[in-house]
Amino acid sequence: MLITSAARQLSTKRLSSAFMRSRASFATTTRSQSTMADSDSDDDKDIVQGHIFRKDKAGSPSPWAVFDAWGAGTDVIPSKFDKTKLTPDAVRIPMEGENKDALPTETEILESYDNLLASRSSVHFGYPYNLMYDHSELYSFMKYSINNLGDPFVPSNYGVHSRQFECSVIDFFAKLWKMEPDSYWGYVTTSGTEGNLHGILLARESHPDGILYTSQETHYSIFKAARYYRMQCEAIPTLPMGEIDYEQLARRLEKNRDKPAIINVNIGTTVKGAVDNLDRILEILQTLEIPKENYHIHCDGALFALMMPFVKGGSELSFEKPIDSIAVSGHKMLGCPMPCGIALCRKEHVEKVEQHIDYLNSVDTTIMGSRNGQAALYMWYSLRKKGLDGIERDVRHCMDTAKYLRDKLTEAGIQCRLNDLSSTVVLERPMDDNFIKRWQLACEEDIAHVVVMPNITISKIDRFVSELSESREKFGIKKPVSLFSWV
């Protein structure tokens, strides 16, 4: 398809506009930082807190992370978009012979959509996505169809790829989790779910008659994998704070010791952010005298696996221990404009599933065939810009700011809980559905949660708690039974 001159101008105009917003945001951030020493008024403090510069305040993300392209880390952006431009009829694609003149133009639709996303990104509280990022330096690469089809380590005949960046990302995570050189394999996935599907697939290929054990509070993708691969799956009850019940796990393993064990270890559950204790699970296996050749351990680390190395307490996540595979998301803690992630495993496992494909001149080892090469490039860029120090600052911000939110809710008389190894604050489910939708809260039965990410600031938390308090006064409360057992 030929790209028209008008289309190029529209694309250039929109990219230029986005870049100018980035520059303006950065300039505002820099001015706030430069006036810290000159002014200590309440207004100036709020601006500084909004960008988390103060060492004595909750959080201190990396300087690069503060460069906020889309306003996700600034104050709440009013919803100023034309809804009529985004209705199903307005955005429909006319067929041959239909009158297009009555419809809004593509530019009008996209401008309205841009305003909608800016507003909703500023009140994004319930899902674990880091919206504090800037990738404007990569915009020019969007004109290329970058496809990493095939195995990351086996070049194919397709030359427009980002394999060198993908391999660099894999190497980074392998070093982070202490894997020996030439002992690992991995690839950039479309999401944490794909990483889980791949990890459980490897486990099933190693143990065709194995039983999958995972906690009842596990992400649904693990249970999806069990259905896809027709595996026997045992959902283990959890402790009140969300960890797997270790005594129940031990009983199930003992009962089924005649079959191999495939164990999913949650490095942060979906709703409560609970981390299963890897060392306790390994102790159970050792006590039951289950040999390594009879078990496979997969770690679902979608959000917290990238945070865990920088948090004190808990059992270390490391391939120096007898774990086999791990999945982590790239768009969550790291931040990326498209869903992505990493699947990492011991090399001997992937060798059991690889097949050579003549058409690719590569081997088939991944879940997907064509793979988004842009995602590998974006993850590489984020890791290079942040570095370990930047990630650690982001993690510290999340952990400290989560404690601030917990304390503010408690002061307001709102029931809430926070696991020690988590930035997910669980609270009573608001009675007003409009409030839930406004702040995009994830809810389950009588509880909701806020996942504190680098783009969630002190000023936003203050506003959230204030609006929640007003909502409780107007719509009432329903005390969550599940929170009272969580001590």
Side-chain angles (χ1 to χ4, degrees):
M1 177 183 291
L2 295 177
I3 301 175
T4 66
S5 175
R8 288 195 192 96
Q9 291 175 2
L10 171 61
S11 177
T12 302
K13 178 181 177 182
R14 289 185 57 76
L15 289 176
S16 176
S17 175
F19 181 70
M20 291 307 294
R21 286 199 306 271
S22 302
R23 295 290 297 270
S25 175
F26 180 69
T28 302
T29 303
T30 306
R31 284 196 298 273
S32 300
Q33 187 180 22
S34 65
T35 56
M36 274 175 31
D38 299 329
S39 174
D40 205 31
S41 69
D42 289 339
D43 289 341
D44 286 334
K45 284 181 179 178
D46 188 58
I47 292 173
V48 172
Q49 288 176 358
H51 290 88
I52 318 296
F53 273 114
R54 289 284 295 272
K55 294 293 186 181
D56 57 330
K57 300 297 182 183
S60 54
S62 67
W64 180 77
V66 173
F67 192 116
D68 175 18
W70 312 112
T74 57
D75 203 358
V76 174
I77 298 174
S79 185
K80 296 181 179 179
F81 65 96
D82 188 348
K83 295 181 180 179
T84 63
K85 300 291 194 302
L86 297 175
T87 63
D89 184 63
V91 302
R92 68 182 174 86
I93 302 171
M95 304 301 287
E96 184 178 358
E98 293 187 50
N99 182 14
K100 186 178 179 181
D101 294 338
L103 298 175
T105 66
E106 290 77 18
T107 300
E108 291 172 334
I109 291 171
L110 293 175
E111 286 179 352
S112 184
Y113 184 52
D114 192 10
N115 292 332
L116 168 66
L117 293 182
S119 174
R120 290 193 174 170
S121 293
S122 71
V123 284
H124 191 278
F125 264 47
Y127 295 87
Y129 305 141
N130 178 6
L131 304 182
M132 187 74 83
Y133 56 76
D134 173 67
H135 296 99
S136 56
E137 195 171 0
L138 301 180
Y139 290 164
S140 62
F141 295 96
M142 293 301 292
K143 63 179 177 284
Y144 300 113
S145 181
I146 307 178
N147 190 335
N148 287 1
L149 50 83
D151 188 287
F153 300 96
V154 183
S156 75
N157 293 336
Y158 188 83
V160 186
H161 62 78
S162 63
R163 275 186 173 81
Q164 61 272 57
F165 300 99
E166 182 174 21
C167 290
S168 179
V169 170
I170 295 165
D171 291 343
F172 171 85
F173 283 100
K175 292 175 183 176
L176 184 68
W177 294 316
K178 300 182 178 179
M179 301 192 79
E180 291 294 325
D182 201 38
S183 70
Y184 57 86
W185 180 92
Y187 75 104
V188 171
T189 63
T190 58
S191 64
T193 290
E194 184 183 346
N196 283 336
L197 290 174
H198 193 271
I200 300 302
L201 174 63
L202 297 180
R204 185 190 179 282
E205 291 301 299
S206 297
H207 305 288
D209 60 341
I211 298 175
L212 175 60
Y213 301 88
T214 191
S215 83
Q216 292 177 346
E217 299 196 28
T218 293
H219 189 263
Y220 65 86
S221 61
I222 297 295
F223 299 106
K224 179 190 289 188
R227 292 197 307 273
Y228 281 3
Y229 307 143
R230 298 185 182 275
M231 300 171 67
Q232 181 180 344
C233 180
E234 301 231 0
I236 309 299
T238 57
L239 302 173
M241 71 288 293
E243 285 182 64
I244 194 168
D245 187 321
Y246 303 101
E247 292 184 2
Q248 289 284 347
L249 174 63
R251 291 194 191 101
R252 302 284 184 91
L253 289 170
E254 172 68 20
K255 178 182 177 182
N256 302 316
R257 62 181 305 128
D258 59 318
K259 290 187 176 182
I262 298 170
I263 303 175
N264 174 67
V265 178
N266 289 311
I267 313 300
T269 57
T270 308
V271 177
K272 297 178 182 176
V275 176
D276 294 336
N277 191 307
L278 175 60
D279 290 340
R280 287 193 64 177
I281 292 173
L282 292 174
E283 287 174 6
I284 291 171
L285 292 167
Q286 185 176 14
T287 300
L288 295 176
E289 298 182 343
I290 299 176
K292 180 65 186 80
E293 59 268 22
N294 281 358
Y295 69 83
H296 180 112
I297 293 181
H298 172 74
C299 298
D300 178 7
L303 169 63
F304 210 69
L306 185 52
M307 301 175 69
M308 195 77 170
F310 308 99
V311 176
K312 294 181 180 179
S315 56
E316 181 186 18
L317 181 61
S318 166
F319 276 83
E320 291 179 339
K321 301 175 182 180
I323 63 176
D324 297 276
S325 55
I326 187 169
V328 65
S329 297
H331 59 286
K332 290 182 179 175
M333 188 59 214
L334 190 58
C336 191
M338 72 279 290
C340 56
I342 279 284
L344 193 65
C345 68
R346 297 185 186 275
K347 184 184 290 187
E348 62 264 25
H349 295 313
V350 79
E351 291 172 350
K352 299 172 184 176
V353 300
E354 70 177 33
Q355 290 183 326
H356 182 79
I357 307 298
D358 289 338
Y359 171 74
L360 302 179
N361 192 28
S362 184
V363 294
D364 177 29
T365 47
T366 60
I367 296 289
M368 299 298 180
S370 290
R371 297 186 297 107
N372 185 357
Q374 297 282 354
L377 182 61
Y378 275 66
M379 286 187 69
W380 170 85
Y381 184 84
S382 295
L383 291 169
R384 282 275 294 214
K385 283 289 186 178
K386 288 175 181 286
L388 291 173
D389 289 342
I391 296 172
E392 184 175 9
R393 293 190 191 99
D394 283 353
V395 171
R396 191 186 314 132
H397 161 81
C398 294
M399 301 298 285
D400 291 347
T401 309
K403 294 175 184 176
Y404 177 85
L405 172 58
R406 176 199 60 192
D407 294 344
K408 290 291 290 186
L409 290 169
T410 302
E411 289 172 9
I414 300 170
Q415 293 284 335
C416 66
R417 296 290 187 273
L418 172 64
N419 271 307
D420 291 337
L421 298 176
S422 180
S423 64
T424 299
V425 178
V426 183
L427 62 149
E428 61 189 51
R429 179 173 184 159
M431 300 292 288
D432 180 18
D433 283 342
N434 288 329
F435 178 88
I436 291 173
K437 291 177 181 177
R438 165 173 162 74
W439 290 95
Q440 300 164 68
L441 301 181
C443 302
E444 185 177 89
E445 296 179 350
D446 59 357
I447 60 177
H449 76 197
V450 172
V451 185
V452 177
M453 303 301 290
N455 53 284
I456 294 185
T457 61
I458 298 299
S459 59
K460 284 188 182 180
I461 286 176
D462 291 342
R463 182 163 181 170
F464 171 80
V465 175
S466 176
E467 290 187 13
L468 179 55
S469 297
E470 293 174 4
S471 175
R472 293 172 90 239
E473 291 180 5
K474 184 176 180 180
F475 295 94
I477 61 173
K478 181 180 179 181
K479 292 188 176 181
V481 177
S482 56
L483 285 183
F484 287 108
S485 62
W486 189 353
V487 293

